Amino acid sequence: MKVRNSLRSLKQRHRDCRVVRRKGRVYVINKTQKRFKARQG
């Protein structure tokens, strides 16, 4: 999982990337390609 300040470029890496909020943090998750995961902050 990558930790980034901005997730804007990361959500465009794959068409199945989703931006979700969990416990006050912003995550990028991908069900089909598990390697595209990121967290903000």
Side-chain angles (χ1 to χ4, degrees):
M1 179 179 290
K2 291 184 191 278
V3 178
R4 289 289 183 86
N5 289 329
S6 176
L7 299 178
R8 186 173 201 169
S9 61
L10 294 177
K11 73 181 181 190
Q12 268 121 31
R13 287 166 73 195
H14 194 270
R15 58 186 172 85
D16 291 338
C17 285
R18 301 267 181 261
V19 178
V20 294
R21 294 196 56 153
R22 290 177 187 164
K23 298 176 183 172
R25 288 183 170 167
V26 185
Y27 292 89
V28 171
I29 58 170
N30 193 324
K31 293 283 173 81
T32 56
Q33 296 285 329
K34 296 283 200 274
R35 67 178 184 269
F36 295 120
K37 286 200 299 190
R39 171 169 74 79
Q40 180 169 326

